[in-house]
Amino acid sequence: MTWTSLPVLDLAQLAGSETEQTDFLTRLRESARDVGFFYLINHGINPQLQQNVQSITRAFFDLPQQEKLRVSMIHSPHFRGYNLAGVEYTREQRDQREQFDIGADREPLLLQPDDAAWKRLQGPNLWPEALPQLRPVINAWQQEMTNVALRLLRAFARSLSLPEDAFDALYGCYPNEHVKLIRYPGQSAEESQQGVGAHKDSGFLTFLLQDEQRGLQVEVTPGNWVDAAPKPGAFVVNIGELLELATNGYLRATVHRVLSPPEGQERISIAFFLGAQLDTQVPIYQLPDALAAEALGPTSDPTNPLIRDVGWNYLKGRLRSHRDVAQRYYGDYLKRLS
């Protein structure tokens, strides 16, 4: 099948009749296998909360630059905080996006010198004093998105004829939840158009709330890019590498990218990533024979190979993307790798 647009899935069907539930689970499984991306509508997130999180995101990026730099990621060994456009790298090229990263807000671990480097990832967030409203809005958003994400994750298990709680052990008591507020500034035709370079996401599931500006593209087949055009009220959902690994490639983590908006415009988006507990390993779940026969095995970018140890896989991506933070807080680890 040739895909020219992303499929649309209605989460309300999951609370409907047996026929509606079966239809939803079938379409969920097939969309995730064939495309790895879809729109999710009727997800139950309050429209006012969606407006609030978009408004507070714009308010953050409108802060004076010195206020944003007070919460720069360079101050966080946990990779939390603000980054200027051009600081993050994807496939060795600079991404032209401002962003603010928020994770699960926890106390840092008390570490021994020989502890695994990924244990440094747990810790508190940075919050701008100039915008105190940001924290309660994002915390409310993170909680609501976690509820939707877990509901969908369990639907995936059902769609694969696994126990509904099959993936719960990977999620665990200390999941790697992650919110990213993103602003893509407009670029002239002579400048780099890489809002963010082609990549796969590393966790379970990603949910993206877009504004009206286009830019997200999905590589549905090699070299064939499809626009994920904004759809009011809908999330764009995609599969992460953890689910691809766990299902031996039945569920598909798909390469995607964002093109910069034209000069004089901007694009605002809010991403929520549901990840696994950092101290877990990703097993291969035994699917029914008919489904297992359709699994293609996980595909790995040779320059960014997959690792089944969740903490190491996540840290690897952070170190590659945020080189200044990596040098400041993980220099000892990087020396051991060289």
Side-chain angles (χ1 to χ4, degrees), residues 227-240:
D227 287 329
K231 186 179 289 292
F235 294 123
V236 177
V237 181
N238 63 281
I239 309 302

Side-chain angles (χ1 to χ4, degrees), residues 162-184:
L162 297 171
E164 186 176 50
D165 62 354
F167 299 123
D168 285 15
L170 284 175
Y171 177 76
C173 299
Y174 298 97
N176 189 27
E177 300 156 336
H178 181 192
V179 174
K180 187 186 288 286
L181 313 180
I182 310 165
R183 174 184 175 269
Y184 298 91

Side-chain angles (χ1 to χ4, degrees), residues 29 32-33 153 156-157 159-160 162 166-167 170 204 239-253 282-287 291-298 308:
R29 184 182 67 247
R33 180 195 64 198
L153 188 65
F156 269 114
S159 77
L160 295 169
L162 297 171
F167 299 123
L170 284 175
F204 279 130
I239 309 302
E241 291 175 331
L242 286 185
L243 277 186
E244 183 174 84
L245 279 169
T247 60
N248 196 34
Y250 187 94
L251 301 181
R252 176 182 173 192
V282 182
I284 296 179
Y285 287 81
Q286 296 303 309
L287 305 182
L291 298 182
E294 297 177 342
L296 301 176
R308 289 192 175 275

Side-chain angles (χ1 to χ4, degrees), residues 199-267:
H199 68 285
K200 296 180 179 183
D201 292 341
S202 62
F204 279 130
L205 295 169
T206 302
F207 295 75
L208 188 71
L209 180 63
Q210 306 187 87
D211 67 2
E212 300 81 14
Q213 180 69 48
R214 303 170 76 99
L216 176 62
Q217 294 185 327
V218 178
E219 191 177 31
V220 293
T221 56
N224 180 22
W225 294 91
V226 169
D227 287 329
K231 186 179 289 292
F235 294 123
V236 177
V237 181
N238 63 281
I239 309 302
E241 291 175 331
L242 286 185
L243 277 186
E244 183 174 84
L245 279 169
T247 60
N248 196 34
Y250 187 94
L251 301 181
R252 176 182 173 192
T254 305
V255 173
H256 52 288
R257 67 187 181 188
V258 176
L259 303 182
S260 297
E263 188 174 15
Q265 300 183 37
E266 66 176 12
R267 180 176 185 268

Side-chain angles (χ1 to χ4, degrees), residues 15-80:
S17 66
E18 185 175 342
T19 299
E20 288 176 315
Q21 291 184 45
T22 299
D23 178 65
F24 177 83
L25 294 173
T26 300
R27 295 193 66 234
L28 177 68
R29 184 182 67 247
E30 292 177 349
S31 297
R33 180 195 64 198
D34 296 342
V35 186
F37 268 78
F38 54 87
Y39 295 104
L40 189 69
I41 62 172
N42 294 326
H43 41 68
I45 299 292
N46 190 308
Q48 185 61 58
L49 180 56
Q50 294 185 67
Q51 291 180 20
N52 290 348
V53 75
Q54 288 178 312
S55 296
I56 204 71
T57 297
R58 291 185 183 278
F60 172 77
F61 288 119
D62 286 342
L63 288 174
Q65 196 63 39
Q66 65 268 24
E67 293 297 333
K68 290 184 284 188
L69 291 175
R70 290 179 191 274
V71 289
S72 174
M73 188 181 282
I74 195 63
H75 303 307
S76 171
H78 321 297
F79 294 93
R80 315 292 174 81

